[in-house]
Coordinates of all heavy atoms in Angstrom, one line a residue:
R2 N 55.7 -11.5 78.4 CA 54.2 -11.5 78.6 C 53.9 -11.7 80.1 O 52.9 -11.1 80.6 CB 53.5 -12.5 77.7 CG 53.5 -12.1 76.3 CD 52.8 -13.0 75.4 NE 52.9 -12.7 74.1 CZ 52.2 -13.2 73.1 NH1 51.5 -14.3 73.3 NH2 52.3 -12.8 71.9
I3 N 54.5 -12.6 80.8 CA 54.2 -12.9 82.2 C 54.4 -11.6 83.0 O 53.5 -11.3 83.8 CB 55.1 -14.0 82.6 CG1 54.8 -15.3 82.0 CG2 54.9 -14.2 84.2 CD1 55.7 -16.4 82.2
S4 N 55.5 -10.9 82.8 CA 55.8 -9.7 83.6 C 54.7 -8.6 83.2 O 54.3 -7.9 84.2 CB 57.2 -9.2 83.4 OG 57.3 -8.8 82.1
K5 N 54.3 -8.6 82.0 CA 53.2 -7.6 81.7 C 51.9 -7.9 82.3 O 51.2 -7.1 82.9 CB 53.1 -7.6 80.1 CG 52.1 -6.5 79.7 CD 52.1 -6.5 78.1 CE 51.4 -5.3 77.6 NZ 51.3 -5.2 76.2
K6 N 51.5 -9.3 82.4 CA 50.4 -9.7 83.1 C 50.4 -9.3 84.6 O 49.5 -8.9 85.2 CB 50.1 -11.1 82.8 CG 49.6 -11.4 81.5 CD 49.4 -12.9 81.4 CE 48.9 -13.3 80.0 NZ 48.7 -14.7 79.8
I7 N 51.6 -9.5 85.2 CA 51.7 -9.3 86.7 C 51.6 -7.8 86.8 O 51.0 -7.4 87.8 CB 53.1 -9.9 87.1 CG1 53.1 -11.4 87.1 CG2 53.4 -9.3 88.5 CD1 54.4 -12.0 87.4
A8 N 52.2 -6.9 86.0 CA 52.1 -5.5 86.1 C 50.7 -5.1 86.0 O 50.2 -4.2 86.7 CB 53.1 -4.8 85.1
T9 N 49.9 -5.7 85.0 CA 48.6 -5.3 84.8 C 47.7 -5.7 86.0 O 46.8 -4.9 86.5 CB 48.0 -6.0 83.5 OG1 48.9 -5.6 82.4 CG2 46.6 -5.6 83.2
A10 N 48.0 -7.0 86.6 CA 47.2 -7.3 87.7 C 47.5 -6.4 88.9 O 46.6 -6.1 89.7 CB 47.6 -8.8 88.1
A11 N 48.8 -6.1 89.1 CA 49.2 -5.2 90.2 C 48.6 -3.8 90.1 O 48.0 -3.2 91.0 CB 50.7 -5.1 90.3
A12 N 48.4 -3.3 88.8 CA 47.7 -2.0 88.6 C 46.2 -2.1 88.9 O 45.7 -1.3 89.6 CB 48.0 -1.6 87.2
A13 N 45.7 -3.3 88.5 CA 44.2 -3.4 88.8 C 44.0 -3.5 90.3 O 43.0 -3.0 90.8 CB 43.7 -4.8 88.1
L14 N 44.8 -4.3 91.1 CA 44.6 -4.3 92.5 C 44.9 -3.0 93.2 O 44.1 -2.6 94.1 CB 45.7 -5.4 93.1 CG 45.4 -6.8 92.7 CD1 46.5 -7.6 93.3 CD2 44.1 -7.2 93.5
A15 N 45.7 -2.2 92.7 CA 46.0 -0.8 93.1 C 44.8 0.0 92.9 O 44.4 0.8 93.8 CB 47.2 -0.2 92.6
L16 N 44.3 -0.1 91.7 CA 43.1 0.7 91.4 C 41.8 0.3 92.3 O 41.2 1.1 92.8 CB 42.6 0.5 89.9 CG 41.4 1.2 89.5 CD1 41.5 2.8 89.6 CD2 41.1 0.8 88.1
A17 N 41.7 -1.1 92.5 CA 40.5 -1.6 93.3 C 40.8 -1.0 94.8 O 39.8 -0.7 95.4 CB 40.5 -3.1 93.2
A18 N 42.0 -1.1 95.2 CA 42.2 -0.7 96.5 C 41.9 0.8 96.8 O 41.4 1.2 97.8 CB 43.7 -1.0 96.9
G19 N 42.2 1.6 95.8 CA 41.9 3.0 95.8 C 40.5 3.3 95.8 O 40.0 4.1 96.4
L20 N 39.8 2.4 95.0 CA 38.3 2.7 95.0 C 37.6 2.2 96.3 O 36.5 2.8 96.7 CB 37.7 1.9 93.8 CG 38.1 2.3 92.5 CD1 37.5 1.4 91.4 CD2 37.5 3.8 92.2
L21 N 38.2 1.3 97.0 CA 37.6 0.8 98.2 C 38.0 1.5 99.5 O 37.4 1.3 100.5 CB 37.8 -0.8 98.4 CG 37.3 -1.6 97.3 CD1 37.7 -3.0 97.4 CD2 35.8 -1.6 97.2
A22 N 39.0 2.3 99.3 CA 39.5 3.0 100.4 C 38.6 4.1 101.0 O 37.8 4.6 100.2 CB 40.9 3.7 100.1
P23 N 38.4 4.2 102.2 CA 37.5 5.3 102.8 C 37.9 6.6 102.3 O 39.2 7.0 102.2 CB 37.5 5.2 104.2 CG 38.8 4.4 104.5 CD 39.1 3.6 103.4
T24 N 37.0 7.5 102.0 CA 37.3 8.8 101.6 C 37.1 9.7 102.7 O 36.3 9.5 103.6 CB 36.5 9.3 100.4 OG1 35.1 9.1 100.7 CG2 36.7 8.4 99.2
A25 N 37.8 11.0 102.8 CA 37.6 11.9 103.7 C 36.2 12.6 103.5 O 35.6 12.5 102.5 CB 38.6 13.0 103.6
A26 N 35.7 13.2 104.6 CA 34.4 13.8 104.5 C 34.4 14.9 103.4 O 35.4 15.6 103.3 CB 34.0 14.4 105.8
A27 N 33.3 14.9 102.6 CA 33.3 15.9 101.5 C 33.2 17.3 102.1 O 32.5 17.5 103.1 CB 32.1 15.5 100.6
A28 N 33.8 18.2 101.4 CA 33.7 19.6 101.8 C 32.4 20.3 101.3 O 31.9 19.9 100.3 CB 35.0 20.4 101.1
C29 N 31.9 21.2 102.0 CA 30.6 21.9 101.7 C 31.0 22.8 100.5 O 31.9 23.6 100.5 CB 30.2 22.6 102.8 SG 28.7 23.6 102.6
P30 N 30.1 22.6 99.4 CA 30.3 23.5 98.3 C 29.8 24.8 98.5 O 29.8 25.7 97.6 CB 29.5 22.7 97.2 CG 28.5 22.0 97.9 CD 29.1 21.6 99.2
Y31 N 29.2 25.3 99.5 CA 28.6 26.6 99.9 C 29.4 27.3 100.9 O 30.1 26.8 101.6 CB 27.1 26.4 100.3 CG 26.3 25.7 99.3 CD1 26.1 24.3 99.4 CD2 25.8 26.4 98.2 CE1 25.2 23.7 98.4 CE2 24.9 25.8 97.3 CZ 24.6 24.5 97.5 OH 23.8 23.9 96.4
T32 N 29.2 28.6 100.8 CA 29.9 29.5 101.8 C 28.8 29.6 103.0 O 27.7 30.1 102.8 CB 30.1 30.9 101.2 OG1 30.9 30.8 100.1 CG2 30.7 31.8 102.3
V33 N 29.3 29.1 104.1 CA 28.5 29.2 105.3 C 28.4 30.7 105.9 O 29.6 31.2 106.1 CB 28.9 28.2 106.4 CG1 28.1 28.3 107.6 CG2 28.8 26.8 105.7
G34 N 27.3 31.1 106.1 CA 27.2 32.5 106.7 C 27.6 32.6 108.1 O 27.8 31.6 108.8
P35 N 27.5 33.9 108.7 CA 28.0 34.1 110.2 C 27.0 33.4 111.2 O 27.4 33.2 112.2 CB 27.9 35.6 110.3 CG 27.0 36.1 109.1 CD 27.1 35.1 108.0
L36 N 25.8 33.1 110.8 CA 24.9 32.3 111.6 C 24.8 30.8 111.6 O 24.1 30.1 112.0 CB 23.4 32.8 111.5 CG 23.2 34.4 111.8 CD1 21.8 34.7 111.3 CD2 23.7 34.7 113.1
G37 N 25.9 30.3 110.7 CA 26.1 28.9 110.5 C 25.1 28.2 109.5 O 24.9 27.1 109.6
R38 N 24.6 29.0 108.6 CA 23.6 28.5 107.7 C 24.1 29.0 106.2 O 24.8 29.9 106.0 CB 22.1 29.0 107.9 CG 21.5 28.3 109.0 CD 21.1 29.1 110.1 NE 20.5 28.5 111.2 CZ 21.1 28.3 112.3 NH1 22.3 28.6 112.5 NH2 20.4 27.6 113.3
Y39 N 23.5 28.2 105.3 CA 23.7 28.6 103.8 C 22.3 28.2 103.0 O 21.5 27.5 103.5 CB 24.8 27.9 103.3 CG 24.9 26.4 103.3 CD1 24.4 25.6 102.2 CD2 25.4 25.8 104.5 CE1 24.5 24.3 102.3 CE2 25.5 24.4 104.5 CZ 24.9 23.7 103.4 OH 24.9 22.2 103.5
I40 N 22.3 28.8 101.9 CA 21.1 28.6 101.0 C 21.5 27.7 100.0 O 22.5 27.9 99.2 CB 20.6 29.9 100.5 CG1 20.2 30.9 101.5 CG2 19.3 29.6 99.5 CD1 19.1 30.5 102.5
A41 N 20.8 26.6 99.7 CA 21.0 25.6 98.6 C 19.8 25.5 97.7 O 18.8 25.2 98.2 CB 21.4 24.3 99.2
P42 N 20.1 25.9 96.4 CA 18.9 25.7 95.5 C 18.8 24.3 95.1 O 19.7 23.6 95.0 CB 19.4 26.5 94.2 CG 20.9 26.5 94.4 CD 21.2 26.4 95.7
A43 N 17.6 23.8 95.1 CA 17.2 22.4 94.8 C 15.9 22.2 94.1 O 15.2 23.2 93.9 CB 17.1 21.7 96.2
E44 N 15.7 20.9 93.6 CA 14.5 20.5 93.0 C 13.9 19.4 93.7 O 14.5 18.4 94.0 CB 14.7 20.3 91.5 CG 13.5 19.9 90.7 CD 14.0 19.6 89.2 OE1 14.6 18.6 89.0 OE2 13.7 20.4 88.4
V45 N 12.5 19.5 93.9 CA 11.8 18.5 94.5 C 11.8 17.2 93.6 O 11.4 17.4 92.4 CB 10.3 18.8 94.9 CG1 9.6 17.6 95.5 CG2 10.4 19.9 95.9
R46 N 12.1 16.1 94.0 CA 12.2 14.8 93.2 C 11.3 13.7 93.6 O 10.9 12.9 92.9 CB 13.6 14.2 93.2 CG 14.6 15.1 92.5 CD 14.4 15.2 91.0 NE 15.4 16.2 90.4 CZ 16.4 15.8 89.8 NH1 16.8 14.5 89.8 NH2 17.2 16.7 89.2
G47 N 10.7 13.9 94.9 CA 9.8 12.9 95.3 C 9.2 13.3 96.6 O 9.7 14.1 97.5
L48 N 7.9 12.9 96.8 CA 7.1 13.1 98.0 C 6.6 11.8 98.5 O 5.9 11.1 97.7 CB 5.9 14.1 97.7 CG 6.3 15.5 97.1 CD1 5.1 16.2 96.6 CD2 6.9 16.3 98.2
Y49 N 6.8 11.5 99.7 CA 6.5 10.1 100.2 C 5.7 10.3 101.6 O 6.2 11.1 102.5 CB 7.7 9.3 100.5 CG 8.5 9.3 99.2 CD1 9.7 10.0 99.1 CD2 8.2 8.4 98.3 CE1 10.5 10.0 97.9 CE2 9.0 8.4 97.1 CZ 10.2 9.1 97.0 OH 11.0 9.1 95.8
A50 N 4.5 9.5 101.7 CA 3.8 9.5 102.9 C 4.7 9.0 104.1 O 5.4 8.0 103.9 CB 2.6 8.7 102.7
Y51 N 4.6 9.7 105.2 CA 5.4 9.3 106.3 C 4.6 9.6 107.6 O 4.7 10.6 108.2 CB 6.7 10.1 106.3 CG 7.7 9.7 107.4 CD1 8.6 8.6 107.1 CD2 7.8 10.3 108.6 CE1 9.6 8.2 108.0 CE2 8.8 10.0 109.6 CZ 9.7 8.9 109.2 OH 10.6 8.4 110.1
G52 N 3.7 8.6 107.9 CA 2.7 8.8 109.0 C 1.8 9.9 108.7 O 1.2 9.9 107.4
D53 N 1.6 11.0 109.5 CA 0.8 12.0 109.3 C 1.6 13.2 108.6 O 1.0 14.4 108.5 CB 0.1 12.5 110.5 CG 1.0 13.0 111.5 OD1 2.3 12.8 111.4 OD2 0.5 13.7 112.5
R54 N 2.7 13.0 108.1 CA 3.5 14.0 107.4 C 3.9 13.5 106.1 O 3.6 12.4 105.6 CB 4.7 14.3 108.2 CG 4.3 14.7 109.7 CD 5.3 15.2 110.6 NE 5.7 16.6 110.2 CZ 6.8 17.1 110.6 NH1 7.6 16.6 111.4 NH2 7.0 18.4 110.3

Side-chain angles (χ1 to χ4, degrees):
R2 287 187 183 182
I3 294 174
S4 64
K5 187 174 185 181
K6 286 183 183 179
I7 292 171
T9 304
L14 287 174
L16 177 62
L20 292 175
L21 297 175
T24 58
C29 180
Y31 297 98
T32 301
V33 178
L36 298 177
R38 278 117 182 113
Y39 58 91
I40 304 296
E44 181 178 76
V45 176
R46 295 291 174 96
L48 299 166
Y49 307 99
Y51 191 82
D53 61 344
R54 303 183 81 189

